[in-house]
Amino acid sequence: MSKMKMCHDKVRLNVGGKLFVTSITTLGNAGRGSMLSAMIDDIWQTQLRVCSEEFFIDRNPSYFSVLLDLLRTGELHIPPAMSEKALYREAQYYGILEHVRAAKWGSLDGNRLECATSISGWATGDGTAIRASQDGGCCVVHGSMVHIYDWTMEEQSPVTLDYVNVNDAGFLNPQRLAICTCERGDKAGGMALFNVKTGKMEHRFRAHHNGQTKNFTAAAMASGDCHLYASCRGRSNEHGIASWDQVTGQQAGFLYEAPSWPLGDACKLQWLPRSKLLLVATLYPHTEDAFIGLLDLRLKDVVWSWMESESPSSVDENVVMDAVSMEECSTVCVVNQYDNLGFIDMRSSNQIIRWRDQYQPRKVSQVEERCLAKLAAWGSQLFCSKNDAVCVFCSPDWEAARSVQTAQIRKMEGGAISDISVGGDRLFVLHNEEDVFDVWETPCISNGADGY
């Protein structure tokens, strides 16, 4: 690269033989740490002022033109014939990939979702779980393998766990993935942290009991403000919820389960950032008596709970299959085996479920043919999968025991839905019948990604 000169605020860039004239202000929009920001620093340090000289960059000018317009307007316009993956590569070179991601799709609005892409994997079996990352990437669990995708939907190196079944997975951050597995006799299993790019294990989380390191099965996990949590089952009754420091990876605590707290078999954990509580749900088929509780790890106590055996309802309504907390509404949302949606008030314990629906099939075969419903929450929006569709609801009104369904999304391909997940302003939908998942986004109102 030759020296770059500028006159007043103008900058002349020769990119791959094509001349671009822009301003320091525009290049400054790239942000600190970018290659373009470093160019600005070079200008001020050398105090160059000769307008006739240019700064040569040996890259494709077509992609640079799109990226320069993004820095000028904040809008991303991708010509139909342009390769998006190649554009991402160029954005990575200039250090503005996050700008592209921010402009690619808008804040998640369940009423305006569009299917951005469908990804077919290479696994031999069906995916069992999908988890979204904070930046819009995801991972898909296939038995003892975890396939990882960054936010551009480019597959990274998969994690292979030598025939140890994966129970749960979750992103600590876009670069690190925690995986929960079953214990094995050779002391494998438990929970470990993996590098998203390489698929290599970086740390194994240890559980200690009475000064000894214990083998354990990690069933479900969640990450909080500064800790990582997992439901644990050990060989010597070390059943409960363990916590580890996210920075050091060292165990920070262990809350042992009580007779009325089936914590070790919990199949779902959810961190509630406002109240600093951990939702723990032990549901069918892990138990015949469903338990949902809110744990305060600071007090080492369950501060709120609901159990099926203590909640009056009919037998058919009793089989709670999934649960998610909507903290803003002080509500736990549940769904049963018939896809009926219900709400539990979090303001006092052992409340009854207020069911929104009362559907019950006439034949058992109608239930057996359907995938079990899954729940996911994003702000005041609730997503519930029902067979091959996802229903979108507004904030639950617990007092009226109803929530307004505002949208329904469905794709013709892929078949029934086995899992859903929300993260990075994206909704991920994993299908049961084929090794495929869909990525749903909210288009930016000003986004012209479909072409000029």
Side-chain angles (χ1 to χ4, degrees):
M1 295 183 183
S2 66
K3 290 185 178 180
M4 176 177 61
K5 305 294 184 178
M6 67 132 189
C7 183
H8 302 294
D9 193 38
K10 288 184 179 180
V11 180
R12 298 165 62 89
L13 305 174
N14 184 333
V15 181
K18 183 176 180 179
L19 180 63
F20 293 86
V21 180
T22 185
S23 67
I24 289 181
T25 302
T26 297
L27 296 182
N29 292 333
R32 304 293 299 178
S34 68
M35 173 263 206
L36 299 176
S37 176
M39 291 166 49
I40 298 174
D41 292 339
D42 182 62
I43 292 173
W44 291 112
Q45 288 174 9
T46 57
Q47 296 182 350
L48 303 176
R49 290 292 186 272
V50 181
C51 297
S52 60
E53 295 193 20
E54 303 168 353
F55 191 91
F56 179 73
I57 304 175
D58 191 14
R59 307 295 290 190
N60 190 307
S62 298
Y63 295 105
F64 182 78
S65 178
V66 173
L67 297 174
L68 186 60
D69 280 343
L70 172 62
L71 294 178
R72 285 169 173 160
T73 65
E75 300 176 7
L76 181 63
H77 299 274
I78 305 177
M82 179 171 285
S83 167
E84 290 197 22
K85 286 193 175 182
L87 180 67
Y88 300 153
R89 183 186 64 238
E90 293 299 295
Q92 180 77 46
Y93 173 81
Y94 292 112
I96 57 173
L97 191 58
E98 281 302 307
H99 289 68
V100 174
R101 188 190 71 84
K104 190 72 173 61
W105 64 89
S107 299
L108 188 67
D109 182 348
N111 300 319
R112 299 196 302 114
L113 288 175
E114 295 181 0
C115 187
T117 186
S118 294
I119 306 296
S120 297
W122 299 94
T124 55
D126 296 332
T128 57
I130 191 165
R131 299 290 182 264
S133 73
Q134 297 86 342
D135 67 344
C138 73
C139 69
V140 180
V141 176
H142 294 86
S144 61
M145 293 188 67
V146 181
H147 294 265
I148 307 171
Y149 301 82
D150 64 16
W151 71 264
T152 70
M153 292 298 104
E154 182 175 346
E155 186 171 4
Q156 309 299 298
S157 298
V159 176
T160 304
L161 297 176
D162 192 23
Y163 305 104
V164 179
N165 280 337
V166 176
N167 296 323
D168 198 5
F171 289 87
L172 192 63
N173 54 55
Q175 293 77 42
R176 301 292 181 270
L177 177 71
I179 297 178
C180 299
T181 66
C182 296
E183 175 208 7
R184 288 199 325 191
D186 59 0
K187 297 184 179 181
M191 187 167 69
L193 193 65
F194 292 82
N195 185 291
V196 167
K197 289 292 184 182
T198 65
K200 302 296 184 181
M201 186 176 71
E202 294 186 342
H203 180 76
R204 183 180 296 279
F205 295 95
R206 307 291 183 180
H208 303 283
H209 176 69
N210 292 333
Q212 296 182 341
T213 301
K214 295 290 185 178
N215 228 13
F216 68 97
T217 290
M221 58 83 55
S223 59
D225 292 340
C226 55
H227 290 95
L228 194 63
Y229 305 96
S231 54
C232 302
R233 300 193 309 272
R235 293 185 177 182
S236 304
N237 296 321
E238 306 94 357
H239 295 184
I241 302 296
S243 61
W244 292 269
D245 187 282
Q246 289 190 11
V247 177
T248 65
Q250 300 302 308
Q251 184 175 333
F254 197 100
L255 179 60
Y256 292 92
E257 68 178 24
S260 59
W261 304 345
L263 306 180
D265 289 320
C267 56
K268 188 165 189 177
L269 303 183
Q270 178 189 355
W271 176 253
L272 309 184
R274 289 190 176 185
S275 58
K276 309 295 184 184
L277 300 177
L278 182 70
L279 179 138
V280 178
T282 307
L283 307 172
Y284 182 85
H286 299 271
T287 180
E288 295 295 331
D289 184 11
F291 166 85
I292 304 173
L294 296 179
L295 275 59
D296 190 331
L297 278 304
R298 297 161 297 186
L299 303 177
K300 295 185 177 181
D301 195 11
V302 176
V303 297
W304 178 91
S305 64
W306 173 90
M307 296 188 70
E308 281 183 343
S309 60
E310 300 178 3
S311 177
S313 62
S314 71
V315 175
D316 290 330
E317 292 174 346
N318 248 357
V319 186
V320 174
M321 310 304 297
D322 198 9
V324 67
S325 172
M326 299 187 73
E327 193 173 14
E328 296 177 356
C329 312
S330 300
T331 301
V332 172
C333 307
V334 298
V335 65
N336 69 4
Q337 76 273 34
Y338 304 134
D339 297 348
N340 293 329
L341 188 62
F343 309 112
I344 311 174
D345 189 355
M346 291 168 52
R347 291 170 291 187
S348 57
S349 293
N350 293 323
Q351 294 292 306
I352 63 173
I353 299 177
R354 300 295 181 91
W355 294 101
R356 178 185 183 273
D357 311 295
Q358 296 293 337
Y359 167 77
Q360 184 174 341
R362 296 179 181 179
K363 298 180 180 179
V364 176
S365 60
Q366 290 179 285
V367 179
E368 293 175 346
E369 294 172 358
R370 299 168 62 87
C371 279
L372 298 176
K374 294 292 184 178
L375 297 173
W378 184 260
S380 60
Q381 301 173 94
L382 177 67
F383 301 88
C384 178
S385 66
K386 293 188 177 183
N387 199 25
D388 63 345
V390 177
C391 300
V392 184
F393 300 87
C394 70
S395 301
D397 180 2
W398 184 87
E399 296 296 339
R402 65 173 181 264
S403 178
V404 178
Q405 181 177 333
T406 57
Q408 184 181 76
I409 60 175
R410 175 189 280 116
K411 280 206 68 181
M412 299 304 296
E413 304 85 7
I417 296 170
S418 60
D419 199 14
I420 60 176
S421 184
V422 181
D425 284 306
R426 276 174 163 171
L427 170 67
F428 296 90
V429 178
L430 178 65
H431 294 277
N432 181 57
E433 297 177 6
E434 301 177 16
D435 182 26
V436 61
F437 66 90
D438 303 322
V439 184
W440 294 80
E441 301 171 355
T442 303
C444 290
I445 296 176
S446 59
N447 194 342
D450 293 333
Y452 291 106

